[in-house]
């Protein structure tokens, strides 16, 4: 499946930047622009993952391997050849780990942005909470403002509501969600329940590294120690939460530029 995507940079180091659950490729545009300016060797591909943004709805049995294959199919369709550098935030990091297991020849390196390889407990997942509110929201509204008010009335923060209504599209005299909410809910339970430690702890894997937010709970100290023991160094951004590319953009870029 070929996904909606866009590119930044014209270098010869193929790099895919993958967003988190309920996001889109454009969530990482600022990071790609800054990274490209600092390292013109790179060419970045930022797809909307399967079921997200303007990309097609996932099939009923879709899992992390489905998403990884779709990213690779999209990269090939856009002329990205050889092994790719995979950089993923949250769900995007888990897709990158799945790619390293399923299509290892297409992975030169994996950089995990605030995500660990193990199953994500439901009570830890911010996306689970957001998804629960999203499923309660109406399918359409007269305008973005009214849908936003509905989301905040159900307990969503202003920032998360603003982020979520970016997924509304014009439809007649109102707006509607551009993704299939039920399909995403089913996908969410499958991708969060997958154990990907084999991707990190197996022999002959590509180089891997991880960076976490000091205020985030997605990579615990125990998981960080296990990653380090497997040869995957872990850095911490003390003031950042889960969205490290927003909370500590400059520090994240400095880390990414270290080869």
């Amino acid at each position: 499946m070929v996904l909606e995507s866009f590119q930044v940079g014209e270098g010869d180091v193929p790099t895919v930047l993958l967003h988190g659950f309920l996001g889109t490729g454009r969530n990482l545009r600022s990071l790609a622009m800054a990274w490209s300016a600092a390292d013109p060797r790179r060419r970045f591909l930022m797809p909307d993952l399967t079921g997200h943004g303007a990309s097609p709805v996932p099939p009923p049995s879709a899992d992390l391997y489905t998403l990884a294959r779709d990213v690779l199919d999209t990269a090939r369709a856009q002329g990205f050849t050889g092994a790719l550098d995979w950089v993923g935030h949250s769900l995007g990091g888990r897709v990158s780990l799945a790619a390293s297991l399923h299509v290892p020849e297409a992975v030169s390196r994996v950089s995990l942005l605030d995500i660990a390889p193990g199953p994500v407990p439901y009570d830890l997942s911010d996306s689970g909470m957001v998804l629960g509110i999203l499923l309660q929201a109406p399918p359409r509204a007269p305008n973005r403002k009214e849908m936003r008010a509905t989301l905040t009335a159900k307990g969503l923060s202003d920032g998360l509501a603003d982020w979520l209504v970016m997924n509304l599209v014009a439809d007649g005299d109102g707006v509607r969600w551009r993704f299939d909410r039920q399909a995403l809910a089913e996908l969410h339970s499958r991708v969060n329940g997958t154990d990907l430690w084999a991707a990190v702890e197996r022999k002959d894997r590509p180089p891997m590294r991880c960076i976490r937010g000091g205020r985030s709970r997605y990579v615990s100290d125990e998981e960080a120690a296990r990653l380090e023991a497997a040869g995957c160094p872990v850095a911490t951004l003390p003031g950042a939460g889960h969205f490290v590319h927003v909370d500590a953009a400059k520090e994240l870029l400095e880390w990414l530029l270290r080869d």
Side-chain angles (χ1 to χ4, degrees), residues 123-146:
D123 61 350
L124 176 66
S125 171
D126 292 337
S127 58
M129 178 272 293
V130 174
L131 182 59
I133 293 175
L134 177 63
L135 290 171
Q136 297 173 38
R140 55 180 293 116
N143 51 59
R144 287 173 182 257
K145 185 177 180 180
E146 289 203 21

Side-chain angles (χ1 to χ4, degrees), residues 3-4 6 16-29 45-55 67 71 87-96 113 163 167 184 242-243 245:
L3 308 171
E4 180 74 14
F6 70 101
V16 291
L17 284 179
L18 304 180
H19 63 82
F21 192 75
L22 296 177
T24 70
R26 295 193 178 275
N27 293 156
L28 298 170
R29 181 183 180 90
L45 178 72
M46 282 148 288
D48 293 352
L49 291 171
T50 314
H52 293 72
S55 286
L67 271 60
V71 170
V87 182
H89 173 246
S90 201
L91 170 61
R94 294 175 66 75
V95 172
S96 301
L113 309 186
W163 173 63
N167 289 291
L184 281 177
H242 182 50
F243 293 89
H245 53 290

